[in-house]
Amino acid sequence: MLNTGTVLVSGGAGFIGSHLCERLLGDGYDVLCLDNFYTGTKKNIRHLIGDPRFELVRHNIWMPIFVEVDRIFNLACPASPVHYQNDPVATVKTSVLGSINMLGLAKRRSARILQASTSEVYGDPQRHPQSEEYWGHVNPIGFRACYDEGKRCAETLFFDYHRQHAVDIRLVRIFNTYGPRMHPNDGRVVSNFVVSALTGKPLTLYGDGSQTRSFCYVDDMVEGLVRMMDQSSSIGPVNLGNPEEISIRELAERVVRMTNSASPIVFKPLPNDDPHRRQPDISRATELLDWRPRVCLEDGLKETIAYFRSVFK
Ligand SMILES: NC(=O)c1ccc[n+]([C@@H]2O[C@H](COP(=O)([O-])OP(=O)(O)OC[C@H]3O[C@@H](n4cnc5c(N)ncnc54)[C@H](O)[C@@H]3O)[C@@H](O)[C@H]2O)c1
């Protein structure tokens, strides 16, 4: 089905944003991609440049912008610890000022706006799996707080703009997502392991590697974002992620096997505030959106490894 209207994607030159832009163009929308290239890159969207329905604007969402759009996906924000801790004040500004500016635009345009929140709003959770009712366990003064508390404040802003100004919001909490166009140096576990394995460097495990994570392939995530935006029954929050857990150690071993790498696996002490376990409860997404991840880890890793091979060839 061909759709009409212009969709703004902030952070559209990033990992998830670039896949989302691609999908929206495929669905028939005009797409306006806003990005300041803090962690994203033109390379991620170069195949879209030249499409008359795609427009790229270099813009920092700390500043207001006046454009005529019908829907907004607010994805702009550095997402990995190395990047969001590099300039923590900037990270808070992007979440807080950025949300205010995007919500102001949504209000002026009566546009529906979706916020890409994060599982990090649950902090180091004391409940497993995490459902949307859980309020979280976050250290407000730790090194991760610029991201966690910034995203929590963004959630507050979304709900207050909704209550106070009737802005048509949607809120999703994204759990670990992986796939082609992840930043090679972002310190996230999948990209770290794949890049290390392909370049013959050791794969570093923190602690004994028994901590678990669950990984959602980017195509599944984009499907969830689009379904959440399209429905009118709930504003959220809705968790999006893959509930299947895997230990970090098992992931490392799998990557080494799939890349035929000779890289060793080495161990280092656990960093502060590192959650021991992270697993989404996706019952709400399943019920509301009829959504669940379809791509298994093996297939997703194949695509991701192929991508990083092309980057490092
Ligand atoms: N990837 C994940 O596992 C994950 C998990 C939870 C939440 N999220 C959220 O999803 C969104 C996208 O994450 P991603 O993994 O694609 O990260 P990414 O770093 O690849 O993408 C973020 C994009 O936002 C841009 N950006 C950053 N600050 C900006 C600013 N002030 N103005 C304009 N553009 C700015 C960056 O240049 C980049 O292109 C983020 O909001 C992130 O918090 C991602």
Side-chain angles (χ1 to χ4, degrees):
M1 185 180 70
L2 271 197
N3 297 289
T4 54
T6 302
V7 184
L8 185 160
V9 181
S10 80
F15 159 50
I16 301 177
S18 61
H19 289 274
L20 179 62
C21 288
E22 214 172 274
R23 164 68 187 263
L24 293 168
L25 285 168
D27 285 351
Y29 292 104
D30 285 9
V31 173
L32 172 59
C33 169
L34 294 189
D35 209 295
N36 68 348
F37 307 117
Y38 185 63
T39 49
T41 153
K42 278 186 211 159
K43 278 190 199 146
N44 286 340
I45 41 159
R46 69 181 155 200
H47 56 297
L48 307 179
I49 292 169
D51 183 326
R53 287 186 293 108
F54 182 73
E55 207 175 341
L56 171 65
V57 175
R58 182 192 287 263
H59 177 76
N60 186 333
I61 62 162
W62 302 359
M63 315 297 167
I65 187 164
F66 296 90
V67 280
E68 309 315 302
V69 294
D70 305 293
R71 284 184 171 185
I72 302 169
F73 285 88
N74 188 33
L75 269 63
C77 188
S80 68
V82 272
H83 290 135
Y84 69 65
Q85 288 171 15
N86 175 52
D87 187 346
V89 173
T91 301
V92 176
K93 284 185 177 173
T94 297
S95 274
V96 177
L97 297 179
S99 291
I100 290 172
N101 289 324
M102 290 296 111
L103 283 160
L105 176 63
K107 180 176 165 228
R108 183 176 71 77
R109 287 289 304 158
S110 302
R112 183 174 291 177
I113 178 167
L114 179 145
Q115 166 68 353
S117 190
T118 170
S119 57
E120 300 288 339
V121 299
Y122 300 123
D124 190 358
Q126 293 158 314
R127 243 196 236 177
H128 298 284
Q130 292 88 49
S131 72
E132 292 84 351
E133 284 83 32
Y134 182 51
W135 288 357
H137 181 230
V138 177
N139 172 2
I141 55 170
F143 289 107
R144 303 173 82 103
C146 58
Y147 184 69
D148 303 1
E149 297 288 18
K151 287 285 192 179
R152 284 168 71 94
C153 183
E155 290 200 1
T156 308
L157 284 163
F158 268 72
F159 272 75
D160 282 336
Y161 266 78
H162 176 67
R163 286 185 285 250
Q164 198 176 331
H165 299 299
V167 172
D168 188 16
I169 63 160
R170 297 290 180 274
L171 179 69
V172 297
R173 294 184 179 143
I174 299 176
F175 284 66
N176 262 338
T177 303
Y178 73 101
R181 302 190 204 128
M182 290 181 87
H183 201 289
N185 307 316
D186 69 0
R188 283 194 254 186
V189 66
V190 173
S191 45
N192 250 357
F193 285 174
V194 172
V195 170
S196 299
L198 290 178
T199 53
K201 299 200 179 95
L203 279 68
T204 308
L205 296 190
Y206 296 95
D208 60 3
S210 64
Q211 66 272 43
T212 64
R213 292 290 184 272
S214 40
F215 300 103
C216 183
Y217 188 62
V218 65
D219 289 358
D220 285 329
M221 182 54 61
V222 165
E223 182 64 37
L225 295 174
V226 168
R227 285 187 190 208
M228 183 65 188
M229 180 62 113
D230 282 348
Q231 57 77 41
S232 296
S233 318
S234 169
I235 59 173
V238 171
N239 287 339
L240 292 178
N242 193 332
E244 206 175 298
E245 283 183 288
I246 180 171
S247 78
I248 297 295
R249 184 176 193 140
E250 203 183 323
L251 177 73
E253 288 164 356
R254 199 184 277 216
V255 168
V256 169
R257 174 176 54 77
M258 289 178 72
T259 49
N260 295 318
S261 173
S263 294
I265 294 177
V266 300
F267 295 85
K268 283 193 179 163
L270 264 184
N272 289 339
D273 292 351
D274 190 46
H276 295 299
R277 211 176 151 203
R278 190 47 80 51
Q279 188 195 20
D281 174 343
I282 58 161
S283 350
R284 198 179 276 184
T286 307
E287 204 173 302
L288 180 70
L289 312 174
D290 189 24
W291 178 89
R292 64 187 60 74
R294 305 274 174 203
V295 181
C296 67
L297 187 61
E298 191 81 6
D299 290 347
L301 280 177
K302 257 186 228 156
E303 296 294 325
T304 311
I305 290 167
Y307 167 75
F308 280 114
R309 270 195 211 286
S310 73
V311 170
F312 289 105
K313 75 172 182 245

